[in-house]
Every structure is written in structure tokens, then in C-alpha cells.
Amino acid sequence: MAISQGQHVEKKPIFETTKGKQKKVGKTMPSVFGHVGLSLVLPVLLILLWEGVTRFQIVETHLLPAPTVIVETIADWAVDGSLWQHGGITLYRIFWGFIWGSLAAVALGSLVGMSNKAETMFDPLIQAFRAIPSLAWVPLFILWLGIGEPSKVTLISVGVFFPVYLNVVGGIQSVDRKLIEVGKAYGLSSFQLVRRIILPASMPSFLVGLRSGLGLGWMFVVAAELMGASQGLGYLLILGQNTLQPEVILASIVLFAILGKITDYGLKKIQSRVLHWQDRIDSSKG
Amino acid sequence: MSIEVSNVSRRFKGETAVNNVSFQAEKGEIVGLLGTSGCGKSTILRAIAGLDNGYEGTISVNGNPKRGTSKELGVIFQEPRLMPWLTVVDNVCFGLAGTKAENQIKAKKLLKVVGLEGFENYYPKQLSGGMAQRTAIARALVTEPDTLLLDEPFSALDAFTKLQLQDMVLDLWDSYQPTMIIVTHDIDEALSLCDRVVILKGQPGELYKNVQLNQPKPRSKADPELAKIKEEILYSLGLSRNTNEKIAKEA
């Protein structure tokens, strides 16, 4: 009774505003909820469908476990501590791989971007290495660095390196010549030009590189852990396969998705904070 | 003598763009470099500014021959060329060397002069074309250069903003009388701002004529004397309709 009254009271003004010159324009909260709600419709429907077909035995549950089973698996891991152990080691690997890969890419990329000589010297070689599918390095890294952490971190940093490198070089080379001229007109030295114009101007491209580097990093951490690891989310994939536990595989896939999303979200936040000055379409969309 | 350009030529890949141009600008004088497009006006200005050092001949600033940029020169480009990652006030401070606090005070003072008070913390993306160009003018003035080089500074602006900014430049000139060299293809602009107009013509560009304007500023756009000079300039550039008609009749 109360609910239906509430609905009635709410409906009335809406009907009036559509009739007479929309009064409520600046109300952002409902539209945000509407946005999130709309984007949730499809996933929720799919999960319900999935749960339905497994609950009623339409598909075989030993091949496709129900979403609730997957959630239970993750919850169990959280309780017995293996979630933190496996997730932690995976994060550790990707963190160091990302750091080393980006550092190397920034160092080489800025050298190649700034100097024509360095470009003719290094770039062809780097491009040639880029043509090698990075996973082809795995046997060699294992041979050289053993089966422990160094070979995995190295593989991940190779994956992170290329997108960051390409974007750093591209970013530096596409800095507006006109802005550099302003700096020159004020008599800035080469070092000052780099610090005050080239660095901030190439920041957008650099951050795009970091984000795609991180994406590749997640791809490579899976590859590294699939091939000879005794810990990590990638190891759980193999474990699930060998012990015929699809819920283990799916649970670690879900964890990969969640962690990948969170880390990318973090970088995206940094990106929009650092680049708040950028004149972009989505900044005017509101 | 503030600026002296003597026998300056510039070739681009064997092709001559500017041929043997000489002119001077006295201290406090406003000189217009006028010509049709492609006659090398901007090339000469870039040479004076020190942004292009591939020319032949000599350019002296305050009696000292130089190549390369100089603190005595301020440049205002056709586009505002603001750093998009800096706020308006930080953009104005861009060329200043002193401490941050001092610079901010100077910049704010100048922003008030160019009519941008209250916009100090805006970013370039939030500015209109005219506001951005005012910021660029403030950036050039804040270092108090004794010569200002303006490369078609108002050509990208709408007609009203253009008139406003031309008046503003004249006011600024009144307050500290810098030497100014203005590259323009707008005869009205040259006639309302300049003490002398240097006309370049042809391809490669050569110096064609010096037109002295002694009328006191601010000048009325409807001054019949100026209208006559305008007609003469148009005629000499081969752009006057009367002359074209005359030629058509004769043919």
C-alpha cells in the first residue's frame, strides 16, 4: 500500500515535467544510477541464465560449474589463505615485470625519440626483436634464468616493454613543433625544452603506453605461470585442468579478470588526474 | 635603432623565398610588414626572432648583430600556442626566470591589463580564441622585451575580437612604447596600427615600398587620407579593382 502510494507520488511530477518544459535538468544522481544500472542488465541476465542451466542440469556441471560454485571456491580460498598466497605471488610478478619493462622502455624510448642518431642505431634492432613472438623466449629464459622468479619477471617485462617503448617514442616525436618553438623563442636550453615542453606534451601517449603495457603484462603473467610454476593464479589454471576441477579454472579466470580490471582502473585514475588539462571529447560529455 | 635588417635573403632547398630585403625599425616605432601570401613576410619575422638561422645577411638588435633568439625580443604567433597543461597564469609565467611568487604577481598584473582578471586558473581548453590570444600577448609582454614581433597575431580571430585586440595593443604600446614589427596581410590592420608600412611583393619576396603614416593614433577607420593610402597600396600590390577594370578596358 505504502509502496504503491510512493510510486504514485513519484510518478506525478515526472508526468508533469514531460508535459511542461522539463524543469529537472541538473539532477545527476539518478542518471548515474541509470547508467550503472543499464550496464549491469546484460551481465546479470547472463549470470542468472548460467545459474539456471546448471541448476536444472541442462548442462553437465562437471564441465561447467554454476556461478555460485565458483564464488564458493573463491571464498574457500580466501578462508584457507591460498587466495592471498597465489594472488600475491601473481601480483608480485606482474609488479616487478611492469616496473622493469617500463623503466627500460622509458630509457630507450626517450633516447630514440630525442636523438636521430639513436633512432637509426637502436630502432631497427628493437623493431626486429618486436617481430619475435615474445612467448618464443620462454624456453631460453628458463634455460638461462632457471624456473624461479627471474625468468618469469623477465618474460613479463619483455611483454610490457614494447607497447610502452612504442608510445614513448611516438609521443616524443609527435610533440607539437610550434610549442617547441615557443620554448626556443624564450631561449630555453635542450634540457629545459625536454623538462618543460617535451615531457608534459608526451605524457598522454606515455600513459596510453603504460595501460596497454599493463594489459600485455597480465597476458604474459598467465603464460609464465602456465609453464612451470608452483604458485600463482596461472598455476591454479593448470591445477584445475589436471585435477578435473573446472571451478578452479573458472575461479582463477574470474580472479584474473578482477585483478586486471582493478590495476587498469588504478592507472586510468592516474591518467585522468595527470591529464585533466587535455581537451577531449569525453571531458565535455560530462 | 632598435631593429636593423640588412640584405637578408633566405633560400629553401635552392628556391629563393626572400631576396635581399633591408629595413629598419626605430625605437618605439610600429612597423608593419605587409604583403600577399607567399612573399616571405613570416620568413623575415622568423629570422628576426631567431627561430630560423638559415638566412644570409645580417640582423641587428639594438645595434648588436645576432643570430638566434634574444631576451630583448618577444614573439606573438598567429596561434596562441599556449601549453595546454599549464593554467593561464602559469602560461604567462612561462618565459620568466625569477621565483614563482614574484612571477605570479607580475603575471596577474598583466592579465588584468589584457582583461583576463579572474581567469588565472583556467586551462587553455576552457578559453575562447580571443582569450587564448590575450593570454599569449600577456606571455610575450611579461618579460618586458623592448621589441615585440607579431606574426599575423589577429588573423585567426573574428572581426570584433580583432578590433578589440588591436585597440588593446595600441593601449599597451602607449603604456611602455616597445618597438613592434607586425606581419600582416590585412591592410586595414596595418593602417590603423603602424607608423610605417613596409610592403613586400613578388615571389621571391622583395622590398617594394615604404609607406610612412603620420596620422595620430587612434585613427578613424573612415579617414579619407587613409582610404587614399589604402587604394595606393592595393594598386601597388595589383589588387585594386579600379586598376583591374582599367586593364580589362584596355585589353
Side-chain angles (χ1 to χ4, degrees), chain A residues 49-82:
Chain A
L49 185 72
W50 181 1
E51 184 72 37
V53 295
T54 49
R55 200 49 73 81
F56 297 108
Q57 307 282 322
I58 298 171
V59 297
E60 297 176 61
T61 44
H62 70 273
L63 291 179
L64 182 66
T68 43
V69 176
I70 295 166
V71 174
E72 269 167 35
T73 310
I74 296 177
D76 286 347
W77 288 348
V79 171
D80 70 15
S82 54

Side-chain angles (χ1 to χ4, degrees), chain A residues 203-220:
Chain A
M203 200 47 93
S205 169
F206 172 57
L207 284 164
V208 167
L210 281 187
R211 277 181 75 188
S212 46
L214 186 68
L216 272 185
W218 279 106
M219 239 171 89
F220 278 75

Side-chain angles (χ1 to χ4, degrees), chain A residues 175-202:
Chain A
V175 172
D176 193 350
R177 195 181 51 82
K178 291 177 173 173
L179 293 184
I180 294 181
E181 259 186 17
V182 172
K184 283 188 178 159
Y186 282 108
L188 298 190
S189 67
S190 304
F191 174 72
Q192 285 172 316
L193 281 180
V194 170
R195 195 174 63 81
R196 300 189 57 190
I197 299 177
I198 296 173
L199 206 67
S202 57

Side-chain angles (χ1 to χ4, degrees), chain A:
Chain A
M1 184 63 188
I3 292 168
S4 75
Q5 266 182 349
Q7 280 176 340
H8 183 70
V9 173
E10 259 185 22
K11 259 181 190 167
K12 214 176 165 186
I14 292 169
F15 184 65
E16 277 179 354
T17 45
T18 45
K19 229 167 67 175
K21 303 284 173 194
Q22 302 188 343
K23 277 179 208 162
K24 292 196 274 185
V25 181
K27 291 248 174 173
T28 49
M29 283 303 279
S31 88
V32 166
F33 284 133
H35 189 72
V36 173
L38 194 64
S39 64
L40 280 178
V41 169
L42 215 50
V44 167
L45 275 180
L46 278 174
I47 289 174
L48 285 178
L49 185 72
W50 181 1
E51 184 72 37
V53 295
T54 49
R55 200 49 73 81
F56 297 108
Q57 307 282 322
I58 298 171
V59 297
E60 297 176 61
T61 44
H62 70 273
L63 291 179
L64 182 66
T68 43
V69 176
I70 295 166
V71 174
E72 269 167 35
T73 310
I74 296 177
D76 286 347
W77 288 348
V79 171
D80 70 15
S82 54
L83 174 63
W84 321 117
Q85 180 205 345
H86 291 293
I89 193 76
T90 296
L91 281 174
Y92 167 86
R93 286 166 185 153
I94 203 163
F95 176 77
W96 285 111
F98 182 67
I99 295 287
W100 288 118
S102 325
L103 281 181
V106 168
L108 265 173
S110 27
L111 198 66
V112 167
M114 301 286 182
S115 133
N116 285 333
K117 271 192 196 135
E119 187 178 7
T120 41
M121 232 173 96
F122 289 113
D123 201 50
L125 189 67
I126 293 173
Q127 297 294 345
F129 272 105
R130 195 165 77 93
I132 302 170
S134 310
L135 293 184
W137 295 110
V138 172
L140 199 61
F141 287 161
I142 292 178
L143 201 62
W144 282 350
L145 303 166
I147 202 131
E149 298 309 312
S151 63
K152 296 183 180 62
V153 171
T154 309
L155 181 70
I156 295 164
S157 52
V158 168
V160 172
F161 175 82
F162 288 106
V164 180
Y165 169 81
L166 287 179
N167 278 287
V168 168
V169 174
I172 290 173
Q173 288 179 343
S174 63
V175 172
D176 193 350
R177 195 181 51 82
K178 291 177 173 173
L179 293 184
I180 294 181
E181 259 186 17
V182 172
K184 283 188 178 159
Y186 282 108
L188 298 190
S189 67
S190 304
F191 174 72
Q192 285 172 316
L193 281 180
V194 170
R195 195 174 63 81
R196 300 189 57 190
I197 299 177
I198 296 173
L199 206 67
S202 57
M203 200 47 93
S205 169
F206 172 57
L207 284 164
V208 167
L210 281 187
R211 277 181 75 188
S212 46
L214 186 68
L216 272 185
W218 279 106
M219 239 171 89
F220 278 75
V221 80
V222 176
E225 290 179 345
L226 279 180
M227 294 173 235
S230 53
Q231 281 180 321
L233 296 178
Y235 160 75
L236 290 178
L237 292 172
I238 292 288
L239 185 75
Q241 184 197 354
N242 292 342
T243 57
L244 305 179
Q245 287 178 288
E247 68 273 14
V248 171
I249 300 177
L250 282 166
S252 73
I253 288 178
V254 167
L255 287 174
F256 268 124
I258 292 171
L259 288 178
K261 190 72 197 166
I262 289 174
T263 48
D264 184 61
Y265 181 77
L267 266 188
K268 196 181 169 187
K269 274 279 159 220
I270 294 174
Q271 189 181 26
S272 53
R273 181 163 304 174
V274 174
L275 303 180
H276 60 94
W277 48 268
Q278 245 187 342
D279 197 3
R280 292 189 313 179
I281 300 170
D282 54 330
S283 63
S284 58
K285 217 163 63 176

